[in-house]
Amino acid sequence: MSTHDLEQIFQERIDAEIKIEAKEWMPDAYRKTLIRQISQHAHSEIVGMLPEGNWITRAPSLRRKVALLAKVQDEAGHGLYLYSAAETLGAERDDLIEQLLTGKAKYSSIFNYPTVSWADIGAIGWLVDGAAIMNQVMLTRTSYGPYARAMVRICKEESFHQRQGYEIMLALSNGTEAQKNMAQDALNRWWWPSLMMFGPSDKESSHTEQSMRWKIKRKSNDELRQQFINQTVGQADFLGLTIPDPDLKWNEATGNYDFGAIDWEEFWNVVKGNGPCNKERIRASIKAHEDGAWVREAALAHAEKRSARAAQKTQVA
Ligand code: 3HC
């Protein structure tokens, strides 16, 4: 069959909501954009451990420490899950890690901001994981089977992440004046970067149109961003906190909140590596990779020994 025929059958399967599996034919461009998106998603999970890990030793109570430890551990698991999903497409994990550590690969802009107070841990759980859930629930219906299935497991854990973050913000907002101010300060610093997580506007997005045609994406960046804002304003009201956007206003006609202009210059600056913590995040990732080399070597040596022993046994048998 010609490539044209194969592409036609492929698109018919996508349109018929048939999941694409690893061993089935797919256009090279479909495979390429999935490796791009899934690997960057995995990098985001791994780098996302750093801003929160910064507060594990300083959590205000054992209960908060345990919840934060569990969350950071979950993120590591999400990263490994997603690297495995990328490997089903033929990607080599070592290549993906090398792309992250050399700055060739992107990861979510949101993780390049500092966590300066305990309230930031609340704001990250509430807003960042809240935004991630918005996006990842959509991805549970993505056309590539392994990615969709990975999302089902990940979304269950993200819900706990979001709840523990919101509970931190609730405790602070109902606390002393100083604690409430801490929560408001964190909201002020994390609100706009959380909106940027959804990616550039639809008209600026280079991948959305094709990703929607292939049902990798089911909703556009702007649609998900709007959904997130609509859902989060009421939560901020309940906390008694003010969202740092003077243009935020309910629009009865559209059934959405109108909101102010996003600073896309800041967004692209952070994406290009010039955010507040980009260099620190890569340095920490390189150090973690180097410190963990002995574990990888030991695991590989053990695997080689086991396969040599298995080969010996089959020879003897
Ligand atoms: N940070 C960094 N780069 C971003 C970005 C962001 N927030 N948003 C978009 N970009 C990049 C894209 O990667 C693309 O660059 P590339 O061609 O070099 O890959 C470029 O900007 C154009 O953006 P598009 O919107 O056209 O790209 P996509 O169609 O890929 O959409 C996306 C961007 C919505 C982030 C999509 O890639 C996606 O859904 N990814 C999977 C979800 C994900 O990665 N979430 C990140 C957070 S994970 C997380 O928060 C973990 C949680 O546990 C806290």
Side-chain angles (χ1 to χ4, degrees):
M1 254 189 280
S2 70
T3 308
H4 176 267
D5 295 347
L6 286 166
E7 282 173 349
Q8 197 157 355
I9 294 166
F10 175 81
Q11 191 60 49
E12 282 161 10
R13 301 188 66 199
I14 294 277
D15 297 341
E17 297 292 342
I18 298 168
K19 283 279 179 266
I20 306 300
E21 295 300 335
K23 293 203 179 344
E24 290 163 350
W25 189 89
M26 60 184 81
D28 289 345
Y30 178 82
R31 182 187 302 277
K32 191 164 164 266
T33 204
L34 275 172
I35 290 175
R36 171 192 66 82
Q37 174 165 331
I38 296 173
S39 60
Q40 289 176 166
H41 196 163
H43 297 330
S44 303
E45 300 280 3
I46 299 298
V47 175
M49 293 163 69
L50 294 168
E52 294 178 308
N54 181 25
W55 280 87
I56 289 176
T57 55
R58 296 183 283 170
S61 71
L62 183 60
R63 180 169 171 274
R64 293 293 184 207
K65 185 196 285 266
V66 167
L68 183 56
L69 263 173
K71 175 177 189 317
V72 172
Q73 218 168 340
D74 283 348
E75 310 297 13
H78 298 173
L80 300 183
Y81 229 55
L82 288 162
Y83 284 130
S84 302
E87 285 172 320
T88 64
L89 288 156
E92 285 296 328
R93 186 165 312 197
D94 288 348
D95 297 344
L96 302 178
I97 302 294
E98 192 260 344
Q99 288 158 20
L100 170 66
L101 300 183
T102 55
K104 271 187 230 134
K106 293 184 170 74
Y107 58 88
S108 189
S109 49
I110 191 72
F111 297 121
N112 289 307
Y113 290 85
T115 45
V116 298
S117 85
W118 173 252
D120 288 22
I121 301 305
I124 287 176
W126 170 36
L127 299 174
V128 174
D129 287 75
I133 292 172
M134 193 79 39
N135 170 290
Q136 291 171 161
V137 164
M138 170 196 71
L139 288 170
T140 58
R141 296 176 49 238
T142 194
S143 55
Y144 184 55
Y147 196 20
R149 291 189 290 272
M151 284 298 108
V152 173
R153 154 87 183 269
I154 287 177
C155 283
K156 287 188 181 125
E157 293 174 341
E158 293 291 7
S159 309
F160 144 66
H161 299 173
Q162 199 267 357
R163 295 307 307 257
Q164 63 87 40
Y166 192 69
E167 200 214 13
I168 291 172
M169 295 301 274
L170 199 57
L172 290 169
S173 309
N174 293 334
T176 63
E177 204 48 33
Q179 286 171 326
K180 183 162 181 166
N181 292 340
M182 242 169 94
Q184 183 62 59
D185 167 56
L187 175 53
N188 294 345
R189 284 182 288 105
W190 288 93
W191 174 255
W192 291 102
S194 298
L195 299 191
M196 295 176 194
M197 274 177 77
F198 291 98
S201 66
D202 292 350
K203 61 180 186 317
E204 294 296 310
S205 164
S206 44
H207 298 290
T208 293
E209 199 185 330
Q210 183 58 63
S211 289
M212 296 283 275
R213 226 186 340 268
W214 279 332
K215 297 188 181 175
I216 292 172
K217 272 184 179 177
R218 297 289 190 154
K219 287 185 179 170
S220 72
N221 299 356
D222 288 337
E223 280 176 289
L224 283 177
R225 194 180 350 259
Q226 183 66 68
Q227 203 179 308
F228 173 73
I229 293 168
N230 290 350
Q231 163 184 301
T232 310
V233 172
Q235 294 170 358
D237 292 347
F238 186 78
L239 292 172
L241 298 179
T242 309
I243 286 180
D245 178 1
D247 298 321
L248 192 70
K249 192 164 163 296
W250 179 250
N251 182 325
E252 202 52 50
T254 62
N256 289 316
Y257 278 94
D258 293 336
F259 56 96
I262 291 174
D263 181 349
W264 292 117
E265 195 186 337
E266 174 185 333
F267 170 74
W268 288 116
N269 225 359
V270 175
V271 171
K272 287 189 183 107
N274 309 314
C277 298
N278 294 59
K279 293 182 182 44
E280 180 188 333
R281 298 288 183 245
I282 295 296
R283 258 200 317 274
S285 303
I286 291 169
K287 182 173 181 324
H289 189 69
E290 287 168 354
D291 290 354
W294 69 272
V295 178
R296 293 191 296 278
E297 285 152 22
L300 279 174
H302 177 64
E304 277 155 20
K305 208 164 146 207
R306 276 186 55 165
S307 54
R309 210 177 299 138
Q312 215 177 9
K313 272 198 191 130
T314 33
Q315 263 169 0
V316 163

